[in-house]
Amino acid sequence: RRTTFEAGFDVIAKKLTEMYQMITLGGDARLEPVVPNDPFEKGVNLSIRPHEKPWKPIQHLSGGEKTLSSLALVFALHHYKPTPIYFMDEIDAALDESNVTRIAEYVKMQARSAQFLVISLRNNCFEKVDRMVGICKRQGCSHALTVDARELGATVDDDIDMPP
Amino acid sequence: RRTTFEAGFDVIAKKLTEMYQMITLGGDARLEPVVPNDPFEKGVNLSIRPHEKPWKPIQHLSGGEKTLSSLALVFALHHYKPTPIYFMDEIDAALDESNVTRIAEYVKMQARSAQFLVISLRNNCFEKVDRMVGICKRQGCSHALTVDARELGATVDDDIDMPP
Amino acid sequence: LMIRKVTLENFKSYSGKKILGTFSHRMNGILGPNGSGKSNVLDAFLFVFAKKARKIRMNRVAELVHHSSSSQPDSAKVTVDFQEIVDMPDDDPVGYRVVEGSEFRISRRAGKDNSSTYYINDRQATMANVTHALRQHGIDLTHNRFLILQGEVEQIAAMKPKAPNDHDEGFL
Amino acid sequence: LMIRKVTLENFKSYSGKKILGTFSHRMNGILGPNGSGKSNVLDAFLFVFAKKARKIRMNRVAELVHHSSSSQPDSAKVTVDFQEIVDMPDDDPVGYRVVEGSEFRISRRAGKDNSSTYYINDRQATMANVTHALRQHGIDLTHNRFLILQGEVEQIAAMKPKAPNDHDEGFL
Ligand SMILES: Nc1ncnc2c1ncn2[C@@H]1O[C@H](COP(=O)(O)OP(=O)(O)OP(=O)(O)O)[C@@H](O)[C@H]1O
Ligand SMILES: Nc1ncnc2c1ncn2[C@@H]1O[C@H](COP(=O)(O)OP(=O)(O)OP(=O)(O)O)[C@@H](O)[C@H]1O
Ligand SMILES: [Mg+2]
Ligand SMILES: [Mg+2]
């Protein structure tokens, strides 16, 4: 069991570093056991070296930097052990405009191998989606309208069956 | 002491309701003692009736609705007992674009009687400010540039002493 | 596996029967003003996936039933339609082909009396049946890494080393 | 009372001497990319206002001193310049007039040895002197309602009824 864990751990740690470097263009991340070479002893720790800064434990990062680190980990875990569907609610709340765009791009890339349902308040995020569900509330009741991004204005109705 | 508290409490409760109605255009808020008419017994509770919906305890609200309720309370408290300076870090993270604009408008109004230093990642917020401090980081070091909103491009240097 | 559509009946802020979808097999966005009901859509999925009421931001299942001045139904029901697909090359207009006969649906009804009933393909089932069926299709509900709730994302990377174990060790 | 400017010397991500301001007496915005140093500006004010290191997101005062591959100074210092003003009518180009002789400054220096020194108008002072001086000018540091840190705003209205008391009773 320990060897399986350590093999999996190595794959994830390597992928996390790769994802974080891609997402932050120059930052670096390390997933390390608290006790060297023994993840079972005290668990694992995530250290981040944001772009051009010294290595830091994650508590010392800004809100946006923590968000990017978390998402790099989620994508790394997906690479190691994929899940078919992801639900994400306002993952970009703490991101500046350029990071909102960047993370939306990464989700779009990941969406080639999994289905994503993403809630966001940031316009830059919606530029990347394939399909949108617009929600509004009138007199205390929510209404939903599904629209295809490529055919804006063409609503998608399940019983009308277009486009699937 | 109790009578002073209750008098102050009534002023704040009234102002909170007024502020929340203004901010949400149709919502309602009530600050009530847990034990009726006795705020000292068990403290106070904030209930919210968002626009066209039934009264709810604050835990049942959405992220944006909680933010608006909190800010209505902060503004109500300022009316009752003003402070000269306010520091606010990303108070609009959970707000949709129209609420970002609306809250920025309210801060601008409150800024007639207090100085506000507001950090935000949302462009709609910066449309309302009188002066902006732009921060960037190069090689791990932060740099700041202060610019007057009316004279965009005119940097404000303390030693150059313009505009004050 | 993909979710084709979800039907909300008197669930939280959704009065009457509301259909969301057909979804894309790739990236779907849910947008709308504060308080409009976006997170409630996620709650609908958690509800069908047999998560406790506490995780759906409510103390009791009865609170999930829609209530407003115009409407006080006795129960709420959520139905999720799934299908298995095969990706098609990029030049294909649809992008995927549905695996013949792979469609299935999971539903859950909650009453104002706090009762809870599950259905698989419209036939009554137990909660264990549902979690088993979902696991068969690749959705493992014992860990939560496919789910990032509002306000949670910053904490994922900050999780303490040993516990909670979901973070890394739990699922390896 | 208003803050005219703030000077950061080797404080957190600010290397060397950096001046922010002159601020508007009304609404000032701080903007920049994630991780650029915006919240660190608020930390600088908290630091001068004698808040504990824990509130400034650090465990020890020594961690507030700037460190990077290019620069490892021995201490950090923050200076805040205040002034009392009188509002002028809206047609006035400046919007306010400074009260003659009302300018004052508060500074604090922190060393890598965890030492901490306060200054009022560049003369050494105690932490008690500083909190007293600020209170005289209307900044009461015993409650925090003039300060909303990153991630805190949603909790303000959700505070439990009786405790913590800051919420309502504490300051009445
Ligand atoms: N059982 C119910 N009946 C009617 N309305 C309900 C019920 N449960 C929750 N609501 C309403 O749903 C609203 C919250 O919806 P939700 O959390 O989905 O908003 P949201 O779109 O995610 O907003 P935000 O962008 O602020 O996060 C609340 O205003 C609440 O009053
Ligand atoms: N003593 C220090 N020396 C050098 N850099 C530091 C020091 N303390 C903190 N930092 C850096 O400051 C950065 C955080 O800055 P800050 O929290 O102000 O960012 P921010 O602009 O508020 O970002 P966000 O928009 O994501 O909240 C971190 O990357 C951290 O590495
Ligand atoms: Mg929400
Ligand atoms: Mg910040």
Side-chain angles (χ1 to χ4, degrees), chain B residues 121-163:
Chain B
L121 294 168
R122 313 292 290 273
N123 297 334
N124 294 6
C125 173
F126 292 105
E127 297 191 3
K128 311 295 180 194
V129 305
D130 300 306
R131 199 155 285 190
M132 296 187 223
V133 179
I135 311 284
C136 69
K137 192 158 60 182
R138 294 181 222 129
Q139 274 102 42
C141 300
S142 296
H143 300 267
L145 200 71
T146 310
V147 174
D148 193 280
R150 291 155 304 183
E151 316 192 13
L152 277 178
T155 52
V156 177
D157 267 335
D158 182 65
D159 32 346
I160 300 184
D161 228 1
M162 66 132 258

Tab-separated table of all heavy atoms in Angstrom, chain B residues 121-163:
chain	number	residue	atom	x	y	z
B	121	LEU	N	-10.521	44.172	-7.140
B	121	LEU	CA	-10.048	43.594	-8.402
B	121	LEU	C	-11.055	43.875	-9.514
B	121	LEU	O	-10.875	43.413	-10.635
B	121	LEU	CB	-9.893	42.072	-8.259
B	121	LEU	CG	-8.820	41.594	-7.290
B	121	LEU	CD1	-8.981	40.104	-7.025
B	121	LEU	CD2	-7.433	41.875	-7.835
B	122	ARG	N	-12.131	44.598	-9.179
B	122	ARG	CA	-13.235	44.758	-10.123
B	122	ARG	C	-13.223	46.141	-10.774
B	122	ARG	O	-13.267	47.171	-10.088
B	122	ARG	CB	-14.573	44.533	-9.393
B	122	ARG	CG	-14.604	43.292	-8.514
B	122	ARG	CD	-14.549	41.995	-9.340
B	122	ARG	NE	-15.761	41.765	-10.093
B	122	ARG	CZ	-16.834	41.144	-9.618
B	122	ARG	NH1	-16.839	40.671	-8.410
B	122	ARG	NH2	-17.907	40.995	-10.392
B	123	ASN	N	-13.172	46.145	-12.067
B	123	ASN	CA	-13.058	47.417	-12.790
B	123	ASN	C	-14.174	48.402	-12.468
B	123	ASN	O	-13.932	49.603	-12.385
B	123	ASN	CB	-13.056	47.149	-14.296
B	123	ASN	CG	-11.845	46.332	-14.707
B	123	ASN	OD1	-10.810	46.370	-14.045
B	123	ASN	ND2	-11.972	45.576	-15.787
B	124	ASN	N	-15.395	47.894	-12.289
B	124	ASN	CA	-16.522	48.800	-12.028
B	124	ASN	C	-16.304	49.611	-10.756
B	124	ASN	O	-16.858	50.688	-10.597
B	124	ASN	CB	-17.832	48.015	-11.870
B	124	ASN	CG	-18.230	47.339	-13.156
B	124	ASN	OD1	-17.487	47.348	-14.134
B	124	ASN	ND2	-19.403	46.737	-13.159
B	125	CYS	N	-15.499	49.079	-9.843
B	125	CYS	CA	-15.233	49.786	-8.595
B	125	CYS	C	-14.355	51.001	-8.859
B	125	CYS	O	-14.571	52.080	-8.307
B	125	CYS	CB	-14.557	48.836	-7.610
B	125	CYS	SG	-14.000	49.634	-6.105
B	126	PHE	N	-13.349	50.837	-9.722
B	126	PHE	CA	-12.393	51.918	-9.954
B	126	PHE	C	-12.960	53.090	-10.722
B	126	PHE	O	-12.384	54.170	-10.731
B	126	PHE	CB	-11.125	51.381	-10.612
B	126	PHE	CG	-10.386	50.500	-9.661
B	126	PHE	CD1	-10.402	49.125	-9.813
B	126	PHE	CD2	-9.771	51.038	-8.550
B	126	PHE	CE1	-9.793	48.306	-8.892
B	126	PHE	CE2	-9.157	50.231	-7.617
B	126	PHE	CZ	-9.167	48.865	-7.792
B	127	GLU	N	-14.126	52.862	-11.340
B	127	GLU	CA	-14.743	53.987	-12.041
B	127	GLU	C	-15.199	55.058	-11.069
B	127	GLU	O	-15.440	56.189	-11.456
B	127	GLU	CB	-15.942	53.485	-12.847
B	127	GLU	CG	-15.533	52.500	-13.916
B	127	GLU	CD	-16.659	52.204	-14.888
B	127	GLU	OE1	-17.729	52.826	-14.741
B	127	GLU	OE2	-16.455	51.369	-15.777
B	128	LYS	N	-15.350	54.700	-9.780
B	128	LYS	CA	-15.920	55.649	-8.812
B	128	LYS	C	-14.887	56.372	-7.960
B	128	LYS	O	-15.221	57.287	-7.223
B	128	LYS	CB	-16.881	54.921	-7.861
B	128	LYS	CG	-17.898	54.041	-8.538
B	128	LYS	CD	-18.855	54.847	-9.381
B	128	LYS	CE	-19.872	53.925	-10.055
B	128	LYS	NZ	-20.608	54.623	-11.128
B	129	VAL	N	-13.631	55.912	-7.990
B	129	VAL	CA	-12.681	56.470	-7.032
B	129	VAL	C	-12.177	57.850	-7.443
B	129	VAL	O	-12.203	58.215	-8.620
B	129	VAL	CB	-11.476	55.528	-6.798
B	129	VAL	CG1	-11.941	54.150	-6.372
B	129	VAL	CG2	-10.618	55.445	-8.043
B	130	ASP	N	-11.732	58.623	-6.428
B	130	ASP	CA	-11.160	59.935	-6.696
B	130	ASP	C	-9.669	59.817	-6.989
B	130	ASP	O	-9.112	60.587	-7.752
B	130	ASP	CB	-11.362	60.840	-5.473
B	130	ASP	CG	-12.832	61.008	-5.141
B	130	ASP	OD1	-13.590	61.407	-6.051
B	130	ASP	OD2	-13.228	60.712	-4.007
B	131	ARG	N	-9.010	58.858	-6.338
B	131	ARG	CA	-7.580	58.684	-6.547
B	131	ARG	C	-7.252	57.205	-6.513
B	131	ARG	O	-7.873	56.446	-5.781
B	131	ARG	CB	-6.816	59.434	-5.460
B	131	ARG	CG	-5.382	59.712	-5.819
B	131	ARG	CD	-4.835	60.913	-5.092
B	131	ARG	NE	-5.316	62.171	-5.633
B	131	ARG	CZ	-4.824	63.362	-5.295
B	131	ARG	NH1	-3.850	63.431	-4.413
B	131	ARG	NH2	-5.307	64.474	-5.799
B	132	MET	N	-6.291	56.793	-7.347
B	132	MET	CA	-5.935	55.373	-7.454
B	132	MET	C	-4.474	55.151	-7.147
B	132	MET	O	-3.622	55.932	-7.595
B	132	MET	CB	-6.108	54.903	-8.896
B	132	MET	CG	-7.494	54.939	-9.407
B	132	MET	SD	-7.513	54.154	-11.028
B	132	MET	CE	-8.559	55.318	-11.889
B	133	VAL	N	-4.204	54.057	-6.429
B	133	VAL	CA	-2.823	53.637	-6.249
B	133	VAL	C	-2.668	52.322	-7.003
B	133	VAL	O	-3.329	51.340	-6.690
B	133	VAL	CB	-2.481	53.429	-4.762
B	133	VAL	CG1	-1.037	52.972	-4.610
B	133	VAL	CG2	-2.716	54.715	-3.979
B	134	GLY	N	-1.824	52.326	-8.032
B	134	GLY	CA	-1.578	51.115	-8.813
B	134	GLY	C	-0.375	50.389	-8.243
B	134	GLY	O	0.666	51.008	-7.979
B	135	ILE	N	-0.517	49.088	-7.996
B	135	ILE	CA	0.580	48.297	-7.431
B	135	ILE	C	1.019	47.270	-8.467
B	135	ILE	O	0.169	46.654	-9.134
B	135	ILE	CB	0.132	47.534	-6.171
B	135	ILE	CG1	-0.603	48.435	-5.190
B	135	ILE	CG2	1.335	46.854	-5.505
B	135	ILE	CD1	0.243	49.350	-4.397
B	136	CYS	N	2.319	47.091	-8.626
B	136	CYS	CA	2.798	45.997	-9.463
B	136	CYS	C	4.019	45.395	-8.786
B	136	CYS	O	4.618	46.021	-7.922
B	136	CYS	CB	3.138	46.478	-10.870
B	136	CYS	SG	4.576	47.541	-10.903
B	137	LYS	N	4.358	44.171	-9.173
B	137	LYS	CA	5.521	43.534	-8.564
B	137	LYS	C	6.499	43.096	-9.638
B	137	LYS	O	6.114	42.447	-10.608
B	137	LYS	CB	5.100	42.342	-7.708
B	137	LYS	CG	6.227	41.852	-6.845
B	137	LYS	CD	5.743	41.079	-5.642
B	137	LYS	CE	4.963	39.873	-6.071
B	137	LYS	NZ	4.443	39.127	-4.909
B	138	ARG	N	7.769	43.496	-9.459
B	138	ARG	CA	8.805	43.059	-10.403
B	138	ARG	C	9.956	42.482	-9.598
B	138	ARG	O	10.410	43.098	-8.648
B	138	ARG	CB	9.323	44.259	-11.215
B	138	ARG	CG	8.278	44.867	-12.134
B	138	ARG	CD	8.870	46.030	-12.925
B	138	ARG	NE	7.939	47.139	-12.988
B	138	ARG	CZ	8.251	48.403	-12.663
B	138	ARG	NH1	9.469	48.702	-12.251
B	138	ARG	NH2	7.341	49.342	-12.738
B	139	GLN	N	10.403	41.311	-10.004
B	139	GLN	CA	11.498	40.621	-9.285
B	139	GLN	C	11.206	40.538	-7.787
B	139	GLN	O	12.076	40.821	-6.964
B	139	GLN	CB	12.839	41.348	-9.469
B	139	GLN	CG	13.569	40.931	-10.721
B	139	GLN	CD	13.425	41.965	-11.812
B	139	GLN	OE1	13.513	43.150	-11.532
B	139	GLN	NE2	13.175	41.518	-13.031
B	140	GLY	N	9.993	40.170	-7.449
B	140	GLY	CA	9.665	39.971	-6.043
B	140	GLY	C	9.528	41.246	-5.232
B	140	GLY	O	9.385	41.189	-4.012
B	141	CYS	N	9.582	42.428	-5.873
B	141	CYS	CA	9.464	43.683	-5.129
B	141	CYS	C	8.274	44.504	-5.635
B	141	CYS	O	8.112	44.682	-6.841
B	141	CYS	CB	10.723	44.531	-5.286
B	141	CYS	SG	12.194	43.679	-4.669
B	142	SER	N	7.473	45.018	-4.688
B	142	SER	CA	6.290	45.795	-5.055
B	142	SER	C	6.642	47.247	-5.328
B	142	SER	O	7.491	47.829	-4.649
B	142	SER	CB	5.263	45.764	-3.914
B	142	SER	OG	4.798	44.469	-3.692
B	143	HIS	N	5.961	47.810	-6.319
B	143	HIS	CA	6.120	49.231	-6.642
B	143	HIS	C	4.742	49.862	-6.661
B	143	HIS	O	3.761	49.200	-7.004
B	143	HIS	CB	6.769	49.412	-8.017
B	143	HIS	CG	8.124	48.787	-8.099
B	143	HIS	ND1	9.278	49.488	-7.844
B	143	HIS	CD2	8.500	47.519	-8.368
B	143	HIS	CE1	10.313	48.682	-7.979
B	143	HIS	NE2	9.870	47.483	-8.296
B	144	ALA	N	4.666	51.150	-6.289
B	144	ALA	CA	3.364	51.822	-6.239
B	144	ALA	C	3.394	53.117	-7.022
B	144	ALA	O	4.410	53.814	-7.051
B	144	ALA	CB	2.989	52.115	-4.783
B	145	LEU	N	2.267	53.432	-7.646
B	145	LEU	CA	2.149	54.682	-8.387
B	145	LEU	C	0.784	55.267	-8.083
B	145	LEU	O	-0.232	54.595	-8.271
B	145	LEU	CB	2.243	54.382	-9.882
B	145	LEU	CG	2.605	55.577	-10.768
B	145	LEU	CD1	4.065	55.958	-10.553
B	145	LEU	CD2	2.347	55.240	-12.228
B	146	THR	N	0.749	56.516	-7.585
B	146	THR	CA	-0.520	57.143	-7.233
B	146	THR	C	-0.959	58.079	-8.347
B	146	THR	O	-0.180	58.905	-8.826
B	146	THR	CB	-0.374	57.938	-5.913
B	146	THR	OG1	0.240	57.108	-4.940
B	146	THR	CG2	-1.729	58.392	-5.408
B	147	VAL	N	-2.211	57.931	-8.744
B	147	VAL	CA	-2.722	58.697	-9.897
B	147	VAL	C	-4.065	59.328	-9.538
B	147	VAL	O	-4.897	58.689	-8.889
B	147	VAL	CB	-2.920	57.743	-11.102
B	147	VAL	CG1	-3.576	58.467	-12.256
B	147	VAL	CG2	-1.588	57.142	-11.517
B	148	ASP	N	-4.267	60.562	-9.943
B	148	ASP	CA	-5.552	61.200	-9.689
B	148	ASP	C	-6.546	60.791	-10.761
B	148	ASP	O	-6.230	60.799	-11.942
B	148	ASP	CB	-5.389	62.721	-9.690
B	148	ASP	CG	-6.624	63.409	-9.126
B	148	ASP	OD1	-7.612	63.559	-9.869
B	148	ASP	OD2	-6.603	63.744	-7.943
B	149	ALA	N	-7.752	60.423	-10.357
B	149	ALA	CA	-8.715	59.887	-11.312
B	149	ALA	C	-9.158	60.946	-12.321
B	149	ALA	O	-9.453	60.637	-13.469
B	149	ALA	CB	-9.935	59.321	-10.590
B	150	ARG	N	-9.196	62.200	-11.867
B	150	ARG	CA	-9.656	63.237	-12.796
B	150	ARG	C	-8.576	63.574	-13.794
B	150	ARG	O	-8.827	64.023	-14.886
B	150	ARG	CB	-10.065	64.490	-12.030
B	150	ARG	CG	-11.327	64.305	-11.214
B	150	ARG	CD	-11.378	65.261	-10.046
B	150	ARG	NE	-10.204	65.133	-9.182
B	150	ARG	CZ	-10.044	65.830	-8.061
B	150	ARG	NH1	-10.955	66.694	-7.692
B	150	ARG	NH2	-8.970	65.672	-7.326
B	151	GLU	N	-7.338	63.355	-13.398
B	151	GLU	CA	-6.246	63.721	-14.304
B	151	GLU	C	-5.473	62.462	-14.619
B	151	GLU	O	-4.288	62.368	-14.335
B	151	GLU	CB	-5.303	64.717	-13.635
B	151	GLU	CG	-6.025	65.825	-12.894
B	151	GLU	CD	-5.053	66.933	-12.506
B	151	GLU	OE1	-3.913	66.952	-13.021
B	151	GLU	OE2	-5.446	67.752	-11.673
B	152	LEU	N	-6.166	61.479	-15.177
B	152	LEU	CA	-5.516	60.202	-15.454
B	152	LEU	C	-4.220	60.447	-16.194
B	152	LEU	O	-4.155	61.222	-17.129
B	152	LEU	CB	-6.424	59.312	-16.300
B	152	LEU	CG	-7.455	58.540	-15.487
B	152	LEU	CD1	-8.333	57.719	-16.393
B	152	LEU	CD2	-6.753	57.620	-14.483
B	153	GLY	N	-3.188	59.780	-15.729
B	153	GLY	CA	-1.903	59.971	-16.377
B	153	GLY	C	-1.060	60.978	-15.609
B	153	GLY	O	0.159	61.004	-15.749
B	154	ALA	N	-1.718	61.802	-14.780
B	154	ALA	CA	-0.921	62.720	-13.964
B	154	ALA	C	-0.604	62.009	-12.665
B	154	ALA	O	-1.480	61.814	-11.844
B	154	ALA	CB	-1.725	63.976	-13.696
B	155	THR	N	0.619	61.576	-12.516
B	155	THR	CA	0.923	60.870	-11.266
B	155	THR	C	1.006	61.860	-10.119
B	155	THR	O	1.318	63.036	-10.320
B	155	THR	CB	2.261	60.114	-11.353
B	155	THR	OG1	3.258	61.036	-11.787
B	155	THR	CG2	2.171	58.980	-12.346
B	156	VAL	N	0.711	61.366	-8.947
B	156	VAL	CA	0.707	62.224	-7.768
B	156	VAL	C	1.940	61.904	-6.961
B	156	VAL	O	2.095	60.806	-6.459
B	156	VAL	CB	-0.537	61.941	-6.913
B	156	VAL	CG1	-0.513	62.765	-5.651
B	156	VAL	CG2	-1.798	62.200	-7.710
B	157	ASP	N	2.836	62.849	-6.877
B	157	ASP	CA	4.036	62.621	-6.069
B	157	ASP	C	4.004	63.534	-4.872
B	157	ASP	O	3.787	64.733	-5.002
B	157	ASP	CB	5.288	62.922	-6.904
B	157	ASP	CG	5.778	61.650	-7.568
B	157	ASP	OD1	5.493	60.562	-7.032
B	157	ASP	OD2	6.426	61.745	-8.617
B	158	ASP	N	4.229	62.972	-3.733
B	158	ASP	CA	4.104	63.800	-2.541
B	158	ASP	C	5.046	64.982	-2.562
B	158	ASP	O	4.698	66.090	-2.188
B	158	ASP	CB	4.366	62.962	-1.298
B	158	ASP	CG	4.187	63.815	-0.057
B	158	ASP	OD1	3.056	64.251	0.188
B	158	ASP	OD2	5.197	64.103	0.605
B	159	ASP	N	6.278	64.762	-3.017
B	159	ASP	CA	7.228	65.881	-2.963
B	159	ASP	C	6.966	66.903	-4.076
B	159	ASP	O	7.348	68.050	-3.978
B	159	ASP	CB	8.690	65.380	-2.973
B	159	ASP	CG	8.835	64.096	-3.765
B	159	ASP	OD1	7.826	63.446	-4.085
B	159	ASP	OD2	9.984	63.714	-4.059
B	160	ILE	N	6.310	66.429	-5.144
B	160	ILE	CA	5.965	67.400	-6.192
B	160	ILE	C	4.732	68.199	-5.752
B	160	ILE	O	4.429	69.240	-6.288
B	160	ILE	CB	5.697	66.676	-7.534
B	160	ILE	CG1	6.951	65.910	-7.941
B	160	ILE	CG2	5.326	67.673	-8.619
B	160	ILE	CD1	6.841	65.237	-9.299
B	161	ASP	N	3.990	67.669	-4.797
B	161	ASP	CA	2.887	68.407	-4.176
B	161	ASP	C	1.802	68.883	-5.126
B	161	ASP	O	1.403	70.032	-5.146
B	161	ASP	CB	3.441	69.634	-3.436
B	161	ASP	CG	2.848	69.693	-2.035
B	161	ASP	OD1	2.067	68.773	-1.704
B	161	ASP	OD2	3.164	70.607	-1.274
B	162	MET	N	1.305	67.979	-5.961
B	162	MET	CA	0.227	68.332	-6.898
B	162	MET	C	-0.652	67.135	-7.183
B	162	MET	O	-0.103	66.071	-7.388
B	162	MET	CB	0.840	68.802	-8.213
B	162	MET	CG	1.563	67.656	-8.882
B	162	MET	SD	1.273	67.334	-10.568
B	162	MET	CE	0.232	66.015	-10.741
B	163	PRO	N	-1.924	67.146	-7.396
B	163	PRO	CA	-2.831	67.996	-6.633
B	163	PRO	C	-2.871	67.434	-5.222
B	163	PRO	O	-2.553	66.276	-5.050
B	163	PRO	CB	-4.178	67.843	-7.348
B	163	PRO	CG	-3.987	66.824	-8.425
B	163	PRO	CD	-2.606	66.269	-8.298
